[in-house]
Amino acid sequence: MSQNDYDMNPRWYVVHTYSGYENKVKTDLEKTVKNRELEDFFFDIVVPMEEQIEIKDGKRKTNLKKVFPGYVLIKMIVTEESWYIVRNTRGVTGFVGSGTNPIPLTDDEIRNMGFEDVPVNVDYDINDQVEVMNGPFEGFIGNVQEINKEKHKVKVLVSMFGRETPVELEFSQVKKVN
């Protein structure tokens, strides 16, 4: 495979590690990338953590807990070399995917994990007519009043009980009426 056969856009991949090795894999991989000057192929290495608040003996304690124990997320360009380096990092058991090729996460998966904002492109604009696909307003048709790309929400004016009512919905809940 030549360099040209690869997708040269960085994508997020999930790497499986021995439990408890997530941070070590991240650190070792960052060192290797720096030593081999491969910063052009590796963009981010993440062990997703979330704060967990515990109340013990009436005292509030905040712990960081791994969101996906046994996994490390890597934003990288997969080439023969970058793939080899990740696979051969101590503690890595392999890429998550089918067969020999690592499968990148989809934009939806990345969005659901909430660790990177993926721009969402919608095929409707302000004042377009849209139909609500699901939820309590399913089947209603309304006009788009506002599009909030940061929150992935759309405000639609729906006609209910003889009056226009603004309803806030997820992007995925509406489709453009042609």
Side-chain angles (χ1 to χ4, degrees):
M1 247 189 190
S2 76
Q3 196 68 31
N4 304 337
D5 296 338
Y6 294 105
D7 179 351
M8 294 313 281
N9 292 316
R11 300 201 186 281
W12 283 100
Y13 295 90
V14 180
V15 173
H16 199 269
T17 68
Y18 292 120
S19 191
Y21 272 78
E22 302 88 352
N23 291 327
K24 183 149 184 36
V25 164
K26 174 181 162 69
T27 315
D28 289 354
L29 201 47
E30 285 169 343
K31 264 191 218 135
T32 308
V33 167
K34 200 170 173 0
N35 291 343
R36 298 204 183 184
E37 299 181 352
L38 289 170
E39 289 92 339
D40 291 347
F41 295 93
F42 290 88
F43 297 82
D44 211 349
I45 302 169
V46 179
V47 179
M49 304 290 260
E50 64 184 359
E51 276 192 2
Q52 204 176 39
I53 294 164
E54 207 178 282
I55 296 173
K56 207 173 173 180
D57 303 329
K59 290 190 179 72
R60 186 187 168 107
K61 207 173 111 185
T62 306
N63 293 329
L64 277 180
K65 182 177 165 278
K66 291 184 187 96
V67 181
F68 307 112
Y71 295 96
V72 175
L73 301 162
I74 303 173
K75 187 175 191 175
M76 63 186 280
I77 294 170
V78 171
T79 65
E80 207 68 50
E81 189 180 11
S82 67
W83 192 54
Y84 175 86
I85 283 170
V86 173
R87 272 196 339 248
N88 290 290
T89 299
R90 224 176 114 227
V92 169
T93 57
F95 276 92
V96 173
S98 60
T100 52
N101 295 331
I103 310 277
L105 292 172
T106 64
D107 285 352
D108 278 347
E109 289 168 327
I110 295 164
R111 221 175 275 122
N112 291 340
M113 290 179 185
F115 62 88
E116 185 179 275
D117 284 331
V118 177
V120 178
N121 294 318
V122 290
D123 64 351
Y124 44 81
D125 287 311
I126 307 272
N127 296 327
D128 278 354
Q129 254 198 350
V130 292
E131 181 183 349
V132 182
M133 303 302 296
N134 55 34
F137 301 100
E138 185 175 343
F140 278 89
I141 289 179
N143 289 336
V144 176
Q145 192 181 21
E146 196 179 296
I147 298 173
N148 185 332
K149 289 202 173 196
E150 284 75 50
K151 291 189 175 150
H152 303 243
K153 301 266 191 206
V154 57
K155 199 176 277 177
V156 179
L157 273 183
V158 177
S159 185
M160 254 188 318
F161 313 118
R163 60 155 44 129
E164 300 273 289
T165 306
V167 180
E168 195 174 66
L169 301 160
E170 300 283 330
F171 280 172
S172 58
Q173 285 183 283
V174 299
K175 75 170 186 183
K176 186 173 176 176
V177 177
N178 293 329

